[in-house]
Structures are given as structure tokens and as C-alpha cells.
Amino acid sequence: MIEQAMSSAISLKQVEKKFPPNIQALDAIDLEVADGEFVVVVGPSGCGKTTLLRLIAGLEEPTRGSILLFGSDASVLSPGQRDLGMVFQNHALFPHLSVFENLAYGLRARRVSKAEISSRIDSVARKLNVFDLLKRKPSQLSGGQRQRVALGRLLARDPKIRLFDEPLGSLDPQFRNGMRGELARLHLENQRTTLYVTHDQTEAMTLGQRICVLKEGKLVQQGSPEEIYECPAHRFVAEFFGSPGAHCFEGMMERGDPEGLCFSSGSIRLSLPAKDGLIGSVTLALRPENWFIEPPEKAALGAQVRRVENLGDHRLIEVCAEGRPIVVKTYFSGIRPNETIGLSPLWEEAHWFDSITGERIEPIRIPPIR
């Protein structure tokens, strides 16, 4: 976990937001963002991500709870007094103004001198490779160029807090990848407090020093990218992160024969390398890379290959095992459709969750592999 500064740049205490008639957009959110930290808020559409940004920006008021910005109560600060800038997915550029005028707009509103405006815009435009576009109108730019101008407007103003609302969502994949790199580099050069909202797990994993996962208005986990992926606190997190995410098996932990444990899910029965553990209903989650491929006679499961997806450096293999579809990730190139292979779980990488609450549990202890 990122070590937090003693005083946070952004502090949310039990923040809730309800919309009429009775829509709970955010539910009891506690969040601390340190000065200079880059935090990514990630989750599916409708989980409350944009609402969270709008509350911090002052565009909405919380139904309950408090928001502090650098120790000041945000409820008494107008949006203009909060010293923050926001970049949207739709760019929000003024169509009748040139690129230069768009970049200068926020500075002129704050009565910055002409010389200072020219100096800041020159620096930002060169960093973002839009210097040769300063006389053009937004309609004369590509989507990637418009997004660079929107980002440049924020950088030229250089507020203490940067808010990003899915800024790369409308870009083509190749431009999105390049912009991710630009954002990471710019943050290293000038580490302003940044809250970045996205539904894209790749953006979350590559940009965030810390990731906050939202589900139906609730903060289900926050931690470093490694913690989120390797130790998901909830079944939802395990399924959401990964390409594809973890495959979950609803089942029962039972005593094996003659001793030990066995996990069963429908016709699937898997023996575990453990003698003691929780007996009863449980959910097993295995990522595509958490399977070992071996000859069927040696494996825990026999599986028929349905489809092989070649992704260059690795392959995703869609198989059917005991009537269940499973996706397996492998670097082996010799597997073909309709072939029968054997699969065995890498138990030390398995994740277990409560069948009712979805929360992470540790029903067994897998001995370390020597």
C-alpha cells in the first residue's frame, strides 16, 4: 500500500449521494488521497465513478458525509475556489476558439499576464506535440489531438488537483496507448494530486499508484496494482481484473478419501494438497494463467479444446471440461482445436471467496511448493 501523507489533499468521510427518487449512487465512501498521489478509480458503468468526481469538483453536493480539500471543508468552497482542473472524455473544447485560445482560456480567467500565458502555452504545447496546431480550430483536429489540447489546458493552468473522467475512452487503441504513456510521464515530471476515473482495467493497472475499485456505489477494495490483482478482496475484483478475469466455480469443500480435502462443483471434483480447512459452501476463482497443462492421464481434469486465440506472445485456449467452459492462458504453441488436454489447478495461486458475501476468505492453507 502507498504510504499516506499526514495531511491528505483529498479526504472523503462516509460520503453518500442519492438521486431522486431513491437511487444510491455512492454509499459510505471513505477515501484519502495524498498530496501528489496518482489514484485511479475503476469500475463498470453506473458504479458511481463520475458522481465521485463531480462531488469533489463541486458540481454535485453529497447527501451525507464530508469532503476536505487540503484540510478545508469543500462545502464552503465554490467550484472556482477549489483549485482543481478536470479533463472529460468528450474534450469539452470551445469550438469557436483556436487551440491557443482554448489553452489560454483558464489562465485569462485568472488574469494571468500575457507574457506568462505565452510562456506556459509554449512549454505545454511542445510537451504534447501540438505546437504546430495552435492556430487551428478543434474541428480541424483528430480525436487524439483534441484530447491532447484538453490535457494541455489543464497542464497550462497547473491546478493543485487534477481530475480525469475517462479521458481516453473515445480514442482509438493506438492513440490510447500513447496517451497513457504521456500521462504517466507528465505526472512524473509534475506530481500533482490526481484522481483518474476509468472502466478500463489496463489504464488502472498501468497508471495508478493506488487503485480504488467501485461496485454499485461501494468501495470494495483499494490497494496497489499488485495487491488488486494478486490478492482480490472480493469476487467482483477477481472477475473484473484480467484479460479475461478469473473464472469462478461455485461449490462445496468436502472431506476427501481417505483424508484431505476435495472441492466439488457440479461434476467437477478436485483434490487439494491440504488436510485441514473449512468445510462447506465456497467459491473458487482461478485465473487463465492459474492452470497447468499436462497429459490427461496425469491431470485433475480432462478438457477438449474448442478454440485457440493466438495473441502473439501467448495464447488463450477455450476448453470444455466436464461441461464447463474454461479459458486457459499458455505460452505453448502446439495446442490445436478438438485436441484433448489435461488441466490441473495451480493451487498456490487460487483465490477463495464466501459464496454469499463474495468477500475473500482463506479456507485452507496450501503448503509452499519446494
Side-chain angles (χ1 to χ4, degrees):
M1 178 71 71
I2 301 294
E3 184 176 350
Q4 297 295 295
M6 292 185 64
S7 60
S8 297
I10 303 172
S11 178
L12 279 69
K13 303 289 188 184
Q14 290 292 293
V15 169
E16 295 185 6
K17 180 61 179 179
K18 288 185 178 180
F19 292 104
N22 192 30
I23 300 173
Q24 187 83 46
L26 291 172
D27 187 3
I29 300 294
D30 287 316
L31 178 62
E32 303 288 330
V33 182
D35 188 13
E37 188 180 11
F38 197 125
V39 173
V40 176
V41 179
V42 66
S45 298
C47 70
K49 305 185 299 296
T50 296
T51 299
L52 181 66
L53 283 195
R54 290 177 63 84
L55 290 175
I56 294 169
L59 304 178
E60 301 278 357
E61 294 183 1
T63 305
R64 179 176 174 270
S66 65
I67 300 175
L68 302 179
L69 302 179
F70 292 98
S72 298
D73 183 359
S75 67
V76 299
L77 301 174
S78 69
Q81 295 173 318
R82 299 190 183 203
D83 197 12
L84 52 80
M86 198 164 180
V87 177
F88 302 90
Q89 180 177 344
N90 63 358
H91 319 306
L93 300 177
F94 296 107
H96 61 290
L97 299 181
S98 68
V99 169
F100 181 93
E101 291 166 332
N102 268 282
L103 294 173
Y105 186 85
L107 299 174
R108 287 173 175 165
R110 286 160 180 77
R111 295 185 173 85
V112 177
S113 69
K114 289 184 178 181
E116 178 67 13
I117 289 174
S118 294
S119 175
R120 290 197 194 184
I121 291 178
D122 181 272
S123 174
V124 167
R126 292 183 186 279
K127 282 183 180 180
L128 294 176
N129 294 320
V130 296
F131 184 79
D132 294 335
L133 309 176
L134 291 177
K135 295 182 180 180
R136 296 188 188 182
K137 298 288 180 64
S139 61
Q140 298 172 299
L141 306 178
S142 68
Q145 290 169 336
R146 286 195 293 270
Q147 195 57 283
R148 287 176 180 272
V149 175
L151 175 59
R153 184 169 54 187
L154 179 145
L155 295 178
R157 230 195 75 199
D158 195 25
K160 289 183 178 179
I161 296 175
R162 300 170 178 172
L163 303 178
F164 292 91
D165 188 8
E166 305 211 37
L168 311 184
S170 62
L171 301 182
D172 293 336
Q174 65 185 70
F175 291 116
R176 192 179 304 139
N177 293 341
M179 284 299 294
R180 279 206 314 268
E182 290 285 351
L183 286 167
R185 178 180 62 81
L186 291 167
H187 182 73
L188 286 174
E189 292 177 357
N190 184 9
Q191 297 186 17
R192 292 297 196 183
T193 304
T194 301
L195 202 59
Y196 186 104
V197 154
T198 182
H199 67 275
D200 188 316
Q201 55 165 298
T202 302
E203 288 179 24
M205 295 292 287
T206 56
L207 287 173
Q209 293 173 281
R210 183 155 52 98
I211 297 174
C212 297
V213 186
L214 275 182
K215 177 181 182 288
E216 297 176 350
K218 294 184 178 181
L219 186 56
V220 294
Q221 186 175 2
Q222 54 180 308
S224 68
E226 293 78 14
E227 289 171 329
I228 294 293
Y229 192 82
E230 296 172 6
C231 192
H234 194 278
R235 170 180 175 165
F236 169 78
V237 181
E239 292 179 307
F240 189 81
F241 281 88
S243 299
H247 186 94
C248 290
F249 300 85
E250 299 282 356
M252 294 288 295
M253 192 76 79
E254 303 168 322
R255 292 293 179 192
D257 185 25
E259 62 180 24
L261 297 175
C262 176
F263 174 78
S264 62
S265 177
S267 59
I268 291 178
R269 290 183 63 83
L270 301 169
S271 297
L272 282 80
K275 294 183 178 181
D276 298 306
L278 176 69
I279 303 299
S281 179
V282 69
T283 299
L284 165 64
L286 289 164
R287 296 193 180 281
E289 63 267 28
N290 296 157
W291 294 94
F292 180 67
I293 299 175
E294 56 186 342
E297 62 272 13
K298 295 182 179 181
L301 287 174
Q304 185 178 38
V305 178
R306 296 288 179 83
R307 181 171 178 266
V308 178
E309 188 172 335
N310 187 347
L311 296 175
D313 64 332
H314 69 276
R315 283 149 181 78
L316 292 179
I317 303 172
E318 297 179 12
V319 306
C320 181
E322 297 293 338
R324 296 284 294 271
I326 299 174
V327 177
V328 179
K329 180 180 178 180
T330 182
Y331 294 96
F332 181 57
S333 61
I335 297 174
R336 300 289 182 264
N338 300 318
E339 183 179 348
T340 298
I341 61 173
L343 299 176
S344 294
L346 299 176
W347 288 114
E348 68 276 12
E349 303 294 337
H351 306 288
W352 301 91
F353 303 100
D354 185 283
S355 293
I356 298 175
T357 66
E359 294 179 354
R360 185 181 186 86
I361 58 175
E362 300 294 343
I364 58 173
R365 182 181 179 275
I366 302 295
I369 296 178
R370 295 181 180 178

